[in-house]
Amino acid sequence: MRGFVIALTFLTRLPFPSPKDVSSEEFTHSYRYYPGVGLVIGLILWLLAKALIPYYPPLVLGAILLAAELMLTGGIHLDGFMDSMDGLLSARSPEQILEIMKDSRVGAHASMALVGLLLLKFTLLASLTSPQSLSILIVMPMLSRWVFQIGMIGFPYARSQGLGKGFHEATRWIPFLLIGMVVCGISFFFAGVAGLIAFGVSILTISVFASRVSSLLGGLTGDLYGAFIEVSEVVCLLVAFPFLH
């Protein structure tokens, strides 16, 4: 339970009291609870959508859901996404890309990528117009917070130090695969075939993405872990959508 609360207070802005005297080992091993935190986020979004869908048109509901997710998470993964896109879209050398990703300033590439990502996510959320299709809201945050761990466990870390390095060293295949079986089962339970398709395509997308970037940079970074979460959320919505109606 302590590990789950550590993960919850790190990944969300929900008003839970932060555990005291958290060791670095406890913090890094809390990654195992990330899909559970995603499930909590998904259930909140689903309940919000179920409550509001009778009263608001799709475009307004889509904007509310997007804003709600940003408030729940504090946009923690968008920061990594923007830093990653600033570097990866710069067409520079691997060393320069890593330096750009460390720069806290927001560049043009990050801005363009952010607009594209949020616009696509907003339109997909606004298109969930039936109560049955809302089930993907439960799957999306949970699946993304599991599948991004492919990058942590399957590829080297590109820097000598950093927050993500501790997570990379803490991850293990057996817990990852066992938790993945649970995530797959929950995805099917709530979203049926759409959940299974989102599960499979998300794994493929993040595996290919991580492999290509790792080959370019010699490894991955914490910013890229956040980018994988954001990308996999959109991929989940995109590939599941045709099977939800």
Side-chain angles (χ1 to χ4, degrees):
M1 185 63 184
R2 179 176 165 87
F4 176 75
V5 175
I6 291 171
L8 192 69
T9 54
F10 175 58
L11 294 181
T12 75
R13 297 298 179 265
L14 292 172
F16 276 81
S18 300
K20 296 181 179 179
D21 302 319
V22 177
S23 66
S24 58
E25 184 178 0
E26 282 184 303
F27 180 68
T28 54
H29 280 82
S30 68
Y31 80 90
R32 300 176 183 179
Y33 298 95
Y34 285 8
V37 174
L39 183 60
V40 171
I41 295 171
L43 287 169
I44 293 173
L45 293 176
W46 178 77
L47 289 170
L48 181 64
K50 290 282 284 186
L52 298 181
I53 196 170
Y55 305 106
Y56 291 97
L59 290 177
V60 176
L61 183 60
I64 291 173
L65 291 174
L66 182 60
E69 187 186 18
L70 291 175
M71 287 188 288
L72 284 170
T73 64
I76 183 173
H77 309 304
L78 282 175
D79 180 63
F81 173 79
M82 288 188 292
D83 286 341
S84 298
M85 293 303 106
D86 251 347
L88 293 174
L89 298 177
S90 66
R92 304 291 178 86
S93 68
E95 294 77 14
Q96 289 175 312
I97 290 173
L98 288 171
E99 284 301 314
I100 292 171
M101 289 168 62
K102 285 178 63 177
D103 193 334
S104 60
R105 292 172 294 183
V106 177
H109 293 109
S111 301
M112 291 186 295
L114 178 65
V115 170
L117 181 85
L118 293 182
L119 183 60
L120 185 54
K121 183 182 282 189
F122 162 69
T123 54
L124 287 165
L125 290 173
S127 300
L128 302 177
T129 54
S130 67
Q132 295 78 12
S133 66
L134 297 178
S135 61
I136 199 63
L137 293 174
I138 301 174
V139 174
M140 174 191 71
M142 174 192 64
L143 176 56
S144 65
R145 283 155 184 80
W146 172 78
V147 75
F148 92 98
Q149 295 175 26
I150 290 173
M152 290 201 307
I153 195 170
F155 300 90
Y157 199 72
R159 304 187 193 277
S160 60
Q161 58 184 359
L163 179 63
K165 187 174 178 62
F167 289 107
H168 167 70
E169 294 173 345
T171 49
R172 297 292 183 270
W173 277 111
I174 291 178
F176 169 74
L177 294 174
L178 291 175
I179 295 169
M181 293 172 63
V182 175
V183 169
C184 182
I186 295 175
S187 299
F188 179 71
F189 177 79
F190 283 111
V193 174
L196 291 181
I197 292 172
F199 181 84
V201 175
S202 295
I203 291 175
L204 179 62
T205 301
I206 297 306
S207 297
V208 173
F209 189 7
S211 177
R212 295 289 298 273
V213 175
S214 182
S215 296
L216 173 65
L217 302 180
L220 304 176
T221 69
D223 285 330
L224 285 162
Y225 297 161
F228 294 159
I229 291 177
E230 291 295 337
V231 169
S232 58
E233 282 198 345
V234 172
V235 168
C236 177
L237 291 171
L238 193 63
V239 301
F241 184 81
F243 303 93
L244 291 170
H245 299 78

